[in-house]
Amino acid sequence: LSTRKPRADAERNRARVVEAARALFAEHGAEVQMPDVARVAGVGVGTVYRHFPTRQDLVEAAAEHRFAEILEYARGLVGDDDGLAKYLRHVGEVLASDRGLSASIEAARQSAGSEPRGETRTLLEEVVGQLVAHGKAAGTVRKDCTVSDVYMIAGALSAIIRTNAGDWRRLLQIVLSGLSPS
Amino acid sequence: LSTRKPRADAERNRARVVEAARALFAEHGAEVQMPDVARVAGVGVGTVYRHFPTRQDLVEAAAEHRFAEILEYARGLVGDDDGLAKYLRHVGEVLASDRGLSASIEAARQSAGSEPRGETRTLLEEVVGQLVAHGKAAGTVRKDCTVSDVYMIAGALSAIIRTNAGDWRRLLQIVLSGLSPS
DNA sequence: ACCTGAACACCGTTCAAGT
DNA sequence: ACCTGAACACCGTTCAAGT
């Protein structure tokens, strides 16, 4: 795709839309409406749709910095024997603090066939693989644990947090116990 | 509330609506529309709303027989040392075979403060309590396991199944391992 | 090139009119 | 007493007109 210099005001508007979306989704979750985002961003609805063809695209863009944040944290855990446990706890914390994020994760999965598209997600998968591998070597993680398991568990935590279906820390505790070598 | 004999056609219509809803929700999941239910049931939309004030009420009514089915199965597990594991596996099977059911469970949780209202759900809670207690006595279940844990796990399975976020049998395996005595 | 916001489409829900 | 379905409300998305 040919990406030529966008006009200055277009870029500014795009940034404003993402910023408004971040704030609104984090506080109110997925029920935020597009006209609201436009109003808070100070642009017309059409502008929102120009930059993000669908609501889902906006939700994902608003969640992107959270993934970057999580990736950063995960990198700091490489080499830690309890890295996987700490990683999942951190994911839980972030999800619990940003109501829009779990909606984003879920919705992204609904649409895409095989989910993690985007630079950040690919890198994240790599780092999580290292955390799993290190845990196995250190004897803190079961030999049959996979990166897919970790994704699925993050999805489960996300669902429990989003629907308020219970104490996510308790679920994490159970799951981590299940992932430890017998 | 005063419940006086409803008219015969009203009762017949109600049954038709539930029957149509069961079939449609099970096959197409939560995206089924109210006018579709009305059409398949052979009644007007207004009639659907007369019997079920809100879409959610209809979804729950359509899911009721599944809960009854699960309760029945759970009763047969009382006294089985692996009752809890078998119970959760069965819940997974049912959820995987009825796309509307997990939507129902999730949505019910969204609305109600403390979820399990209705006769069946109360009885179910009782039986699950017995399964947990028996497992502890038999040494197949951790001492700190609670009925809430079991509900939360069912919720997690439901979410994974509904969003196609992974292999629910694998999640079940991990969680059961986590609930076994160390 | 990009922006705006009125208009459209879709679907849950209501209610005036019928039997 | 209950049923019907046209009409309303709401919200995601589009597009004709503007700059």
Side-chain angles (χ1 to χ4, degrees), chain B:
Chain B
L1 8 165
S2 62
T3 30
R4 284 308 65 183
K5 290 176 187 265
R7 241 167 54 180
D9 59 340
E11 212 147 15
R12 190 167 51 242
N13 280 337
R14 190 194 150 90
R16 279 183 185 167
V17 168
V18 173
E19 194 46 51
R22 279 182 193 171
L24 290 172
F25 284 134
E27 179 162 2
H28 301 105
E31 70 263 29
V32 172
Q33 300 159 206
M34 299 298 267
D36 289 337
V37 174
R39 193 173 34 73
V40 171
V43 301
V45 243
T47 301
V48 174
Y49 278 92
R50 160 169 287 270
H51 293 293
F52 306 98
T54 181
R55 182 191 160 80
Q56 180 53 27
D57 292 322
L58 177 59
V59 172
E60 282 175 28
E64 189 59 30
H65 68 131
R66 297 291 188 189
F67 280 98
E69 196 177 280
I70 288 172
L71 172 60
E72 203 60 32
Y73 183 85
R75 279 183 167 141
L77 294 174
V78 175
D80 187 325
D81 288 3
D82 292 316
L84 185 59
K86 288 175 183 171
Y87 170 75
L88 282 170
R89 186 163 350 124
H90 187 250
V91 168
E93 306 280 13
V94 174
L95 286 166
S97 73
D98 184 339
R99 300 197 51 230
L101 184 55
S102 52
S104 153
I105 288 175
E106 164 141 351
R109 213 179 293 281
Q110 304 278 33
S111 55
S114 37
E115 58 283 16
R117 18 172 206 186
E119 184 70 8
T120 310
R121 265 94 149 186
T122 311
L123 294 172
L124 193 53
E125 190 164 349
E126 212 175 295
V127 178
V128 170
Q130 291 178 249
L131 297 182
V132 171
H134 186 94
K136 287 181 188 175
T140 56
V141 175
R142 255 201 162 86
K143 296 296 185 188
D144 66 352
C145 176
T146 68
V147 172
S148 294
D149 290 344
V150 179
Y151 269 111
M152 178 166 61
I153 290 164
L157 290 174
S158 171
I160 296 302
I161 290 167
R162 188 173 42 77
T163 63
N164 242 332
D167 179 359
W168 69 266
R169 291 173 193 278
R170 171 66 176 157
L171 178 60
L172 179 58
Q173 180 196 334
I174 293 169
V175 163
L176 286 177
S177 169
L179 284 181
S180 299
S182 38

Side-chain angles (χ1 to χ4, degrees), chain A residues 5-115:
Chain A
K5 293 177 186 261
R7 240 167 53 181
D9 58 340
E11 210 146 16
R12 193 168 48 243
N13 279 337
R14 190 193 149 91
R16 279 183 185 167
V17 168
V18 173
E19 195 46 50
R22 278 182 193 171
L24 290 172
F25 284 135
E27 179 163 0
H28 301 104
E31 70 262 31
V32 173
Q33 299 159 207
M34 299 298 267
D36 288 338
V37 175
R39 191 171 37 73
V40 171
V43 302
V45 244
T47 302
V48 175
Y49 277 93
R50 161 168 285 270
H51 293 293
F52 306 97
T54 180
R55 180 190 161 81
Q56 181 53 28
D57 292 321
L58 177 59
V59 172
E60 281 176 28
E64 189 59 30
H65 69 133
R66 296 293 187 188
F67 281 98
E69 194 178 282
I70 288 171
L71 172 60
E72 204 59 33
Y73 183 86
R75 279 183 169 141
L77 293 174
V78 175
D80 187 325
D81 288 2
D82 292 317
L84 184 59
K86 289 174 182 170
Y87 170 75
L88 283 170
R89 188 165 346 125
H90 187 251
V91 169
E93 307 278 12
V94 175
L95 287 167
S97 72
D98 185 338
R99 299 197 51 228
L101 184 55
S102 53
S104 153
I105 289 177
E106 164 141 353
R109 211 179 293 281
Q110 305 278 31
S111 54
S114 36
E115 56 284 15

